[in-house]
Amino acid sequence: MSLPTQPGSNELDTRALLAIAEAAVDEAETTFTAAVGAEPEIIKSPGDFATEADLTVERQLRTLLTQYTGLPVHGEEFGTVRPGEMPLEHNPSDKDADGLDGPRRVGRALEDEEMPQTYWVVDPIDGTANYAVGNPFACILVSLVHQGETQLSVTEMPLLGKRITARRGHGLFVDGHPCRAMPPSDPGVTQISFGSILSQRRGNLPISYRQDMLTEIGKSYPRMRVTGSVGIDLAFTAAGVFGGTVTFSPNLWDNAAGILAVQENGGIATDFAGNPWRPGVSGLVAGEPEVHATLLQHIQSVPIGTAARSTQEIMDRGGIR
């Protein structure tokens, strides 16, 4: 199967591919909505679980995206599945995971030729803990990565009735309409979303460090919010609901869609050292340019503390000074 390309060139037709992604999400949304409140089905690690809906929605998205494009799909619940393969069991640590999500296992590396050049990235339900209790802050995330760069993304929030889409070089859209510009920084009004404060599973950033960071950022922006969904945090930042966000997920499926969305509306998204975020890094700060700069300044003033495994390890994974 040949991918849609621009007439007279070999460049991907991201408009057509975005339409495919939205069509797949349209079908998966029905499954998502019907199973709100689903109970945990698989305990992945302490404090982290998947429902049957997570598994079903990902299978559905994989089937549709592969059928329409012939591309491999990398997702939270089943890892990387290439065309012709079947996602038979929950498999978050497949053979391609290190290449796509960063160095999670010491000494594990893949040669460049082993990695797919173009692939879909899927998080079937971002904010599963919210979803399982009926909290509407949960979403479907789909993005397309080509030669290491995210080319398009869909953030679908079925329980909030909102969809945010982006194409590289073509701007941000909310429910099919061009998005308003990000509002300027206003400490009295600007809201900042913040990732998990107490979770034990967010990379290797200690709880005390995250709590100190929250306090430090609050000196400039006291209106802090915790939604429980990285995808919504980034999407709302891109759309100007939040002025910025600080999250701690090292995973491509959590961050790829939202980083592109933020960038396409004139925002900035980096790791905690101000470098481009890369998979495996436990630390992402994004927002309107002035807000981003202020957040970064606060973040870099907070000492990592002694609870981290080692300062060098944190620097290697997150670029924290």
Side-chain angles (χ1 to χ4, degrees):
M1 178 181 295
S2 60
L3 285 173
T5 57
Q6 297 284 358
S9 77
N10 292 323
E11 293 185 11
L12 293 179
D13 185 346
T14 55
R15 182 177 181 179
L17 287 162
L18 178 58
I20 288 171
E22 291 199 72
V25 169
D26 286 342
E27 293 200 35
E29 183 179 0
T30 301
T31 303
F32 179 108
T33 305
V36 172
E39 295 183 356
E41 181 74 15
I42 293 174
I43 304 301
K44 297 190 282 188
S45 64
D48 189 14
F49 61 86
T51 68
E52 182 59 39
D54 289 85
L55 307 180
T56 301
V57 170
E58 184 164 321
R59 289 191 190 100
Q60 190 172 12
L61 288 169
R62 287 177 177 279
T63 298
L64 294 167
L65 292 171
T66 301
Q67 175 185 324
Y68 293 153
T69 67
L71 291 172
V73 178
H74 178 66
E76 177 172 7
E77 308 306 338
F78 296 101
T80 303
V81 179
R82 298 173 185 272
E85 299 176 345
M86 291 295 293
L88 298 177
E89 60 182 342
H90 177 263
N91 178 26
S93 298
D94 67 295
K95 67 183 182 65
D96 288 340
D98 285 327
L100 297 178
D101 284 328
R104 295 184 296 178
R105 295 188 292 277
V106 175
R108 178 73 170 97
L110 290 172
E111 298 298 329
D112 289 343
E113 60 267 26
E114 292 184 68
M115 301 307 302
Q117 177 175 275
T118 308
Y119 55 93
W120 296 101
V121 179
V122 169
D123 188 343
I125 303 178
D126 182 69
T128 297
N130 290 343
Y131 179 83
V133 297
N135 182 326
F137 282 84
C139 61
I140 300 170
L141 301 173
V142 175
S143 54
L144 182 73
V145 175
H146 177 63
Q147 296 179 343
E149 288 194 330
T150 305
Q151 301 297 319
L152 60 90
S153 68
V154 179
T155 302
E156 176 69 18
M157 296 165 266
L159 305 182
L160 297 176
K162 190 172 292 294
R163 175 176 295 184
I164 293 178
T165 60
R167 283 197 297 145
R168 183 168 294 278
H170 294 274
L172 185 73
F173 289 78
V174 178
D175 297 330
H177 302 287
C179 185
R180 63 171 182 163
M182 288 181 171
S185 173
D186 181 346
V189 175
T190 298
Q191 296 187 1
I192 304 297
S193 63
F194 198 82
S196 176
I197 302 170
L198 297 174
S199 172
Q200 299 280 1
R201 65 184 181 87
R202 283 304 181 192
N204 48 10
L205 300 179
I207 290 174
S208 60
Y209 171 64
R210 286 176 269 156
Q211 292 175 337
D212 289 346
M213 186 188 298
L214 180 70
T215 300
E216 176 65 25
I217 291 171
K219 294 175 182 178
S220 289
Y221 298 112
R223 299 183 184 277
M224 308 288 288
R225 300 292 184 266
V226 178
T227 71
S229 167
V230 173
I232 289 179
D233 286 346
L234 286 164
F236 275 14
T237 297
V241 177
F242 296 142
T245 186
V246 178
T247 70
F248 305 104
S249 171
N251 299 317
L252 188 63
W253 59 71
D254 283 326
N255 296 331
I259 288 175
L260 178 64
V262 168
Q263 292 171 338
E264 283 301 307
N265 203 27
I268 299 175
T270 69
D271 66 16
F272 289 170
N275 301 316
W277 182 86
R278 65 188 188 278
V281 171
S282 300
L284 170 64
V285 55
E288 184 271 339
E290 182 182 347
V291 175
H292 174 271
T294 302
L295 292 174
L296 202 59
Q297 183 177 17
H298 283 301
I299 289 168
Q300 292 177 351
S301 74
V302 179
I304 188 71
T306 58
R309 285 180 245 174
S310 75
T311 301
Q312 185 59 48
E313 183 176 4
I314 298 297
M315 290 175 66
D316 290 342
R317 290 178 61 94
I320 300 168
R321 296 189 292 187

